[in-house]
Amino acid sequence: MPRMLRFAKCVLVATSLLASSAHAQETVAWWDFLSGGDGVRMKQLISDFNKAHEGSIKIEATTLEWGTPFYSKVQTAASVGEAPDIMTYHASRIPLAVKQGILQEITPDDWTKMGLAKSDYADTTWNAVSIDSKQYAVPFDTHPIVLYYNKDILAKAGLLTEAGKPKGLDSAANFEATLKGLKDAGVKFPLGSVTADGNFMFRTVYSLMGQQDGELLTGGEFLAGDNGEKLQNALALLQGWTKDGLQSSYTDYPATVALFTSGEAAMMINGVWEVPTMVDLKKQGKLFEWGAVELPVLFKHPSTYADSHTFAIPANKGKEMTAEKKKAVLEVISWLSKHSLYWASAGHIPAYGPVTASAEYKAMEPNASYSSLTANMIFDPKTPLAGVAGPIFDVMSTYFVPTLNNEMDPAKAVKEIKSELNDL
């Protein structure tokens, strides 16, 4: 082969390799804890992302066990530089993660590159991912608890408004009148409640504290001032429902859902993540006409406990992320945030404002019926002791179960809770 031809061929090969390198596909390692309807929808979103970014970015996703197993694995993996490039994370767990040093800050430059801004999010949601004026995650949704109800049973009992909602959502007295009306109508359980799982019950109890402007942690002290009294008020009200046979007693999570879907319970307090269950059963012709609304106002004003699924970037010890990888990760977060309308079909309220402001979202039911609660949300107190599967949950749940099932005096429960929380 002539020398000039060999030289030209070498140049061509080198140019080809450089072009290939410049357009190499970036693989993004992803961990989540999503199962059920959440998992199905997230897998679809990841598939859609990969198709839209074919040849440039590919998400390789792994789903791990929800709760303590997930967070323990993240902490261990980050400490040895083996955590993923991106992961789902509960906003309530961020204070502990920041203390442990396992999250990267989402910098102002990152937000600009993603095309996202503080103005795109509700203040409460934005604050939930902020520690000392720095952001450590991007909110993807809020997932509060809501009141599910059987329209057929309520209508038959004359307890459905013209707007198709339960009567009595404006006060404790009026809501209890609705519960008693259902009982008088022969309904086995006017309300289905998860009364055998204190961790879940925290959501309801904390919501009722919020309706009284109560706080768990103030000035470094748990249940300071009259906050213990507000917790006692919440527990006493819920205990009264059990005592009067207005809600199910010692009922675990699966049984609560079963009571509602079978028609034995006319209403149910549960998370928005059960919306896909109802939608699917209705499509199969196995469910009555149903709806979901914000929790009733049982004290001073609306307030509902919520948490957020967020996207976080692990701080892998000894393993700095390349500029190319960081760019790909930011694109993943940006794209999923802007395409979160489909995520709303899991019942969640997308955190990205332009999505919830869209005509498509406003036409979604029951989401549109309860999305107003975004203005009334309360998140866990900002402490490393809070959050999903955290010590606060564990302490309070120990006393919630016997109290709500009418086996412990609310005042005694509050006294024990306050003592144990402050011992933490």
Side-chain angles (χ1 to χ4, degrees):
M1 181 183 292
R3 182 178 178 185
M4 185 59 70
L5 187 58
R6 287 200 305 270
F7 175 76
K9 186 175 181 180
C10 288
V11 170
L12 183 62
V13 169
T15 303
S16 177
L17 288 172
L18 284 171
S20 176
S21 174
H23 296 90
Q25 178 173 273
E26 196 69 50
T27 299
V28 174
W30 162 297
W31 286 2
D32 67 47
F33 43 69
L34 303 166
S35 60
D38 284 359
V40 169
R41 285 159 177 79
M42 185 57 80
K43 285 179 175 61
Q44 184 61 56
L45 280 170
I46 289 172
S47 176
D48 292 345
F49 176 90
N50 286 341
K51 287 178 183 176
H53 296 78
E54 190 171 358
S56 59
I57 305 173
K58 182 182 179 182
I59 299 173
E60 287 192 350
T62 300
T63 298
L64 304 172
E65 186 179 352
W66 185 93
T68 301
F70 178 85
Y71 290 110
S72 296
K73 187 171 179 65
V74 168
Q75 182 182 358
T76 301
S79 67
V80 294
E82 295 181 0
D85 301 313
I86 183 175
M87 59 189 174
T88 55
Y89 221 80
H90 285 98
S92 60
R93 295 280 304 204
I94 288 176
L96 177 58
V98 171
K99 181 181 179 182
Q100 294 169 335
I102 60 175
L103 295 184
Q104 288 190 38
E105 178 191 353
I106 309 294
T107 68
D109 185 53
D110 293 336
W111 288 98
T112 299
K113 288 176 179 176
M114 289 186 289
L116 306 175
K118 180 180 180 180
S119 58
D120 294 326
Y121 300 88
D123 288 343
T124 308
T125 310
W126 179 268
N127 290 337
V129 300
S130 303
I131 304 291
D132 296 330
S133 299
K134 294 180 179 180
Q135 286 68 49
Y136 288 90
V138 177
F140 188 49
D141 68 28
T142 52
H143 47 279
I145 55 173
V146 292
L147 180 72
Y148 291 84
Y149 61 101
N150 184 320
K151 292 184 178 183
D152 296 341
I153 290 179
L154 285 162
K156 187 177 179 179
L159 296 168
L160 202 65
T161 68
E162 290 184 5
K165 296 181 179 181
K167 290 184 177 179
L169 297 176
D170 58 339
S171 72
N174 289 337
F175 189 66
E176 286 180 8
T178 295
L179 294 176
K180 290 175 180 176
L182 289 166
K183 185 179 181 182
D184 292 342
V187 177
K188 187 174 182 180
F189 297 108
L191 180 67
S193 296
V194 185
T195 48
D197 180 352
N199 278 286
F200 184 89
M201 287 153 55
F202 173 89
R203 297 170 168 86
T204 305
V205 174
Y206 194 40
S207 296
L208 300 189
M209 280 192 69
Q211 291 190 5
Q212 305 170 74
D213 298 313
E215 296 182 85
L216 278 179
L217 183 65
T218 51
E221 182 181 352
F222 285 100
L223 298 176
D226 64 354
N227 285 302
E229 180 183 339
K230 291 171 181 176
L231 173 57
Q232 183 177 327
N233 293 339
L235 293 175
L237 183 144
L238 295 172
Q239 185 187 77
W241 291 355
T242 309
K243 189 184 300 183
D244 294 339
L246 302 179
Q247 72 176 346
S248 57
S249 61
Y250 279 111
T251 316
D252 64 15
Y253 189 99
T256 303
V257 176
L259 286 177
F260 180 70
T261 56
S262 68
E264 290 186 86
M267 295 186 284
M268 171 180 73
I269 293 176
N270 212 322
V272 294
W273 50 87
E274 286 297 341
V275 165
T277 301
M278 308 306 154
V279 170
D280 292 345
L281 287 174
K282 183 63 176 166
K283 283 182 179 178
Q284 296 165 20
K286 298 178 180 179
L287 197 67
F288 40 78
E289 293 297 324
W290 66 283
V293 292
E294 187 172 355
L295 293 184
V297 179
L298 303 173
F299 289 97
K300 291 168 58 177
H301 56 73
S303 179
T304 301
Y305 171 81
D307 203 341
S308 283
H309 293 126
T310 73
F311 297 125
I313 305 174
N316 271 313
K317 187 174 181 180
K319 184 182 176 184
E320 187 173 349
M321 184 176 285
T322 65
E324 292 76 17
K325 181 78 73 178
K326 183 67 173 290
K327 182 179 179 181
V329 166
L330 295 179
E331 171 60 15
V332 168
I333 297 173
S334 175
W335 192 93
L336 289 173
S337 297
K338 295 172 182 176
H339 291 79
S340 56
L341 181 65
Y342 178 65
W343 185 243
S345 67
H348 306 304
I349 303 173
Y352 184 59
V355 170
T356 54
S358 69
E360 292 86 352
Y361 180 79
K362 291 179 178 179
M364 292 182 72
E365 286 294 350
N367 304 59
S369 293
Y370 56 69
S371 60
S372 59
L373 64 78
T374 303
N376 308 313
M377 295 185 302
I378 53 169
F379 282 73
D380 293 78
K382 283 191 181 179
T383 166
L385 299 172
V388 170
I392 288 179
F393 267 57
D394 292 340
V395 168
M396 299 183 83
S397 67
T398 301
Y399 298 98
F400 285 173
V401 174
T403 304
L404 265 66
N405 288 286
N406 198 30
E407 293 183 356
M408 188 173 194
D409 180 66
K412 182 180 180 182
V414 171
K415 182 179 179 181
E416 297 294 337
I417 288 170
K418 183 174 182 178
S419 175
E420 288 198 31
L421 287 180
N422 284 303
D423 282 347
L424 291 174

